[in-house]
Amino acid sequence: MKHDFDQPICRRGSGCVKWDEQDAKEAIPMWVADMDFRVAQPIIDALHKRVEHGVFGYTIVGDKYYDALCNWFARRHHWTINREWVIYTSGVVPALSAVIKALTTPGDKVLLQTPVYNCFFSSVRNNGCIVEENPLRREGLSYHMDFEDLEKKASDPQVKLLVLCNPHNPVGRVWTASELQQLNDICMRNNVKVVADEIHCEIVMPGNRFTPFASISDNCLDNSITLNSPSKSFNTAGLQIANIICNDARTRAKIDRAININEVCDVNPLGVEGLVAAYNDSEYWIEQLCNYLHDNYIFLKEHLTSHLPEVKIISLEGTYLVWVDITALGMTSDETTKLLLDEGKVLVNSGTMYGQDAGEGFIRINIACPRSQLQEALDRMANTLNKVKNQ
């Protein structure tokens, strides 16, 4: 089955955060991480069938759900998940909040590898914990983990958890198995648990391979909690479904208790049906999507290199979020994003959202849209920034 990713979809007026937020009403939104593509047809068909039933009461999550989840990761990522390891919930951010609540006490420290997804900061702080940064190390057009700094930070007895972003948002790395094993070795030496947010795991550019953290070794499995969801990969964030995967029964019981304390223990029937249809019947769509996104990335690189040669585009291995170094323009990240919105009518993310120091001098651009929309947004960006340069 062939999917048309070039088809424009009008989302404005649909109650869509991306398009209907006040700031974005006259702008092309290239910010929040959802995609402007229709989902795979099997997901639409499954939701139609469930809607036609006409009753939407409290939902039992049954065998077909667990079978779809476990079979997908076994088939696609060679990771065997036992059903009893799984706790379902409404989203990866609520899942992260519950895990932090379960495994820390207020005043503990949580390691974040910055720049990193902005909700990590709020999840840590909302649970009374302290963010400890292990900044990633920039090398040319890529980022690497700073293991020396990690060893130093992890040795602090107040540090209880490290939140791993794999693939990494916003720097676009797909971490290798050897990098992940080295990270776990350091964490285990220092009694630090790894919480692996792997929500972007299917969005991998050609030539790269995603490795689930818990699949690498028994030590990685035993020392980690994995958070995943089909939402980013299959564009189903509004269906509100995610999973926490933990093999240790005692740790899992603590997390389950925190899920109930946070009141995010129930899910809706459409989320269940969407996950099953995504994992059972929509792999073809993911394959086509990754190729289309890679072509969008190449298009963006060529366009910006031609029209804004001062900026530097960080290599994209995974996700559909491009990290762009704008320091040569002589403006801060916040100044650049404000200018692009006010004058260019393009909405992108300021790098400071992902860590004040680690993200300064960068913007994040979401390229998960039809090529025509991407071109229009890039044309507006180039025209706006070149006008400022020439003043």
Side-chain angles (χ1 to χ4, degrees):
M1 192 183 303
K2 177 70 173 174
H3 190 89
D4 183 7
F5 291 97
D6 284 319
Q7 179 188 6
I9 305 293
C10 180
R11 302 182 67 190
R12 207 179 292 278
S14 65
C16 164
V17 168
K18 186 175 183 179
W19 285 84
D20 291 330
E21 283 278 336
Q22 184 66 36
D23 287 346
K25 284 188 175 178
E26 296 179 3
I28 300 176
M30 310 293 285
W31 63 297
V32 66
D34 76 3
M35 299 188 271
D36 292 323
F37 304 129
R38 281 174 64 87
V39 302
Q41 192 61 43
I43 298 175
I44 295 173
D45 292 344
L47 297 182
H48 277 160
K49 182 178 179 181
R50 183 64 183 83
V51 168
E52 286 171 0
H53 181 261
V55 181
F56 310 102
Y58 297 116
T59 299
I60 292 174
V61 176
D63 289 343
K64 69 177 183 178
Y65 180 94
Y66 294 103
D67 289 345
L69 172 69
C70 295
N71 290 339
W72 174 267
F73 279 93
R75 181 177 73 252
R76 189 168 174 89
H77 300 299
H78 311 291
W79 180 27
T80 300
I81 299 171
N82 293 333
R83 170 178 171 160
E84 60 267 23
W85 298 352
V86 179
I87 302 172
Y88 58 80
T89 187
S90 58
V92 162
V93 173
L96 175 60
S97 179
V99 171
I100 294 171
K101 182 184 291 293
L103 302 183
T104 66
T105 57
D108 285 342
K109 294 181 180 180
V110 178
L111 279 165
L112 303 182
Q113 295 182 299
T114 54
V116 76
Y117 178 46
N118 52 293
C119 286
F120 287 3
F121 295 91
S122 56
S123 291
V124 172
R125 290 166 179 155
N126 288 345
N127 282 287
C129 293
I130 300 165
V131 170
E132 184 71 57
E133 296 189 34
N134 167 224
L136 298 174
R137 190 175 69 248
R138 166 90 176 270
E139 295 182 4
L141 298 179
S142 186
Y143 281 80
H144 300 272
M145 295 185 189
D146 187 336
F147 292 113
E148 183 178 350
D149 181 72
L150 176 59
E151 186 84 61
K152 178 182 176 181
K153 300 286 178 59
S155 67
D156 182 346
Q158 280 188 275
V159 173
K160 305 300 183 184
L161 300 176
L162 178 145
V163 183
L164 170 72
C165 198
N166 178 38
H168 193 282
N169 167 20
V171 308
R173 276 299 314 275
V174 176
W175 304 114
T176 65
S178 61
E179 287 173 309
L180 296 174
Q181 183 65 67
Q182 188 171 353
L183 177 143
N184 189 61
D185 291 344
I186 293 171
C187 287
M188 287 194 71
R189 280 198 296 273
N190 293 283
N191 297 312
V192 175
K193 279 273 190 186
V194 176
V195 185
D197 174 359
E198 299 185 343
I199 195 171
H200 289 276
C201 66
E202 309 305 337
I203 309 300
V204 177
M205 299 298 103
N208 297 279
R209 179 183 175 184
F210 164 74
T211 304
F213 182 87
S215 73
I216 294 169
S217 65
D218 288 343
N219 283 340
C220 287
L221 175 64
D222 293 340
N223 195 48
S224 67
I225 300 96
T226 297
L227 316 178
N228 62 34
S229 170
S231 61
K232 295 299 182 194
S233 302
F234 291 93
N235 204 27
T236 57
L239 297 183
Q240 298 286 289
I241 196 79
N243 295 290
I244 302 168
I245 302 170
C246 175
N247 73 319
D248 180 71
R250 184 177 178 185
T251 302
R252 196 166 60 246
K254 292 180 180 179
I255 295 168
D256 189 57
R257 177 60 181 154
I259 286 283
N260 282 272
I261 291 171
N262 285 3
E263 305 291 0
V264 287
C265 50
D266 293 317
V267 294
N268 75 75
L270 300 184
V272 173
E273 297 296 335
L275 179 144
V276 172
Y279 287 157
N280 283 352
D281 302 310
S282 305
E283 189 165 8
Y284 77 93
W285 190 88
I286 283 290
E287 298 295 341
Q288 295 175 34
L289 170 70
C290 289
N291 288 330
Y292 191 88
L293 292 173
H294 183 252
D295 289 344
N296 270 3
Y297 170 63
I298 297 302
F299 181 86
L300 175 143
K301 283 209 305 182
E302 292 175 348
H303 188 288
L304 292 184
T305 299
S306 176
H307 295 88
L308 282 169
E310 301 91 342
V311 305
K312 296 179 174 64
I313 300 97
I314 300 302
S315 298
L316 186 67
E317 298 177 356
T319 83
Y320 46 77
L321 306 163
V322 182
W323 193 235
V324 179
D325 181 345
I326 49 90
T327 52
L329 298 177
M331 296 183 289
T332 68
S333 297
D334 291 348
E335 289 169 343
T336 302
T337 53
K338 187 176 188 305
L339 177 70
L340 288 173
L341 179 60
D342 293 345
E343 304 296 330
K345 303 303 179 187
V346 179
L347 182 55
V348 299
N349 291 113
S350 171
T352 55
M353 291 179 62
Y354 311 103
Q356 187 65 43
D357 295 330
E360 181 57 77
F362 291 84
I363 59 174
R364 193 190 77 167
I365 304 173
N366 178 349
I367 61 170
C369 62
R371 189 81 34 79
S372 59
Q373 179 179 318
L374 177 61
Q375 178 167 0
E376 175 62 23
L378 293 174
D379 286 344
R380 292 186 187 188
M381 291 173 63
N383 290 338
T384 301
L385 295 175
N386 279 319
K387 280 182 184 177
V388 174
K389 281 167 35 185
N390 295 328
Q391 286 177 354

